[in-house]
Amino acid sequence: MQVALWGSFVNAAAIIGGALLGSVVKFPEKMGETIMQALALAIIIIGISMGLESSILLIPIAALVLGSIVGEKLNIEAAIERLGESLQKMSARGEKNKASTSSFTQGFLTATLVYCIGAMAVIGGLNSGLTGDHQVLYAKSMLDGTTAILFSASLGIGVAFSAFPVFVYQGTIALLATSIAPLLSESVIQELTATGGMLIVGIGLNMLGLTKLRLGNMLPAIIIAALLAVLA
């Protein structure tokens, strides 16, 4: 078990380290806004490239519709906001600031989606669990740690807390690799990645202030996309 989880542990540690480093970087207000906009544009491009991986476009479309229905019923967005507020209070030792909490939650959600969605997270977890080979997750750790510096400098320390869902997500794949590997075909990973990519585009649009998409309520779409791909 320890061997299977090592790659996920390194990835989580890289995110925390990068976020802590980025949190001490202070930019002038205008420069910070420009960097935020640049990151938003980069995130949109990443999301578009991932979204185009779908080979059956109807799957991510249907998944987003069905996932939004489920998410609205469960009101996942509100739960994420409450979690972000609680984590922000702990990190700020009880400081209450609505704008700060909103930034904290945005940083947490943005980093979690960017780091969890994609082929590297799935394939890296499978390799760790099946063969004990962590090379994919080591490479992902370098990428995530570097981007965590930039995310944290612009979005705040909430980025560091994304390490927990990343560890749980990849660690679960690693521990269950033998059981779930037959289900995670290339087409399933493609549709899961494409659906997540569309949500990541939404993150970029929200960061630019162009929209106020309730992306938390769309998160079930990722699971539904994987299920639809398996059935297809």
Side-chain angles (χ1 to χ4, degrees), residues 2-228:
Q2 291 178 347
V3 173
L5 294 177
W6 178 249
S8 299
F9 174 79
V10 171
N11 198 174
I15 293 171
I16 293 173
L20 291 177
L21 182 59
S23 67
V24 301
V25 178
K26 302 297 181 184
F27 296 113
E29 184 176 353
K30 286 189 176 180
M31 184 182 294
E33 290 178 357
T34 302
I35 292 174
M36 175 81 80
Q37 292 167 352
L39 285 174
L41 291 175
I43 287 173
I44 289 173
I45 294 300
I46 291 171
I48 290 174
S49 66
M50 293 170 66
L52 292 175
E53 290 191 20
S54 175
S55 57
I56 309 175
L57 192 57
L58 185 60
I59 288 180
I61 293 173
L64 285 170
V65 173
L66 296 174
S68 296
I69 294 173
V70 173
E72 286 291 338
K73 289 289 186 181
L74 298 176
N75 201 7
I76 296 174
E77 182 87 1
I80 292 175
E81 289 177 355
R82 288 194 298 270
L83 174 61
E85 183 177 357
S86 298
L87 294 174
Q88 192 272 338
K89 286 179 179 178
M90 287 189 296
S91 67
R93 297 182 180 179
E95 178 186 352
K96 295 182 179 179
N97 185 309
K98 186 174 182 180
S100 178
T101 299
S102 176
S103 177
F104 186 98
T105 303
Q106 185 181 45
F108 172 74
L109 182 58
T110 298
T112 298
L113 275 175
V114 170
Y115 296 151
C116 285
I117 302 303
M120 289 188 79
V122 177
I123 294 173
L126 289 175
N127 286 352
S128 290
L130 292 174
T131 66
D133 181 1
H134 309 296
Q135 295 303 314
V136 174
L137 290 185
Y138 288 160
K140 183 174 181 293
S141 298
M142 295 179 63
L143 294 173
D144 292 354
T146 301
T147 54
I149 297 174
L150 300 175
F151 282 155
S152 183
S154 299
L155 298 174
I157 197 61
V159 173
F161 288 86
S162 68
F164 178 72
V166 169
F167 178 79
V168 172
Y169 176 67
Q170 293 176 171
T172 300
I173 292 175
L175 292 177
L176 300 179
T178 303
S179 301
I180 66 176
L183 299 175
L184 294 177
S185 64
E186 182 178 351
S187 62
V188 171
I189 295 176
Q190 280 181 337
E191 303 310 325
L192 185 153
T193 299
T195 304
M198 293 179 184
L199 294 179
I200 289 173
V201 170
I203 285 176
L205 295 176
N206 280 355
M207 288 175 65
L208 288 173
L210 300 177
T211 58
K212 292 184 178 179
L213 302 175
R214 294 192 295 276
L215 296 170
N217 286 345
M218 301 180 192
L219 289 176
I222 297 171
I223 298 174
I224 293 174
L227 294 175
L228 291 177

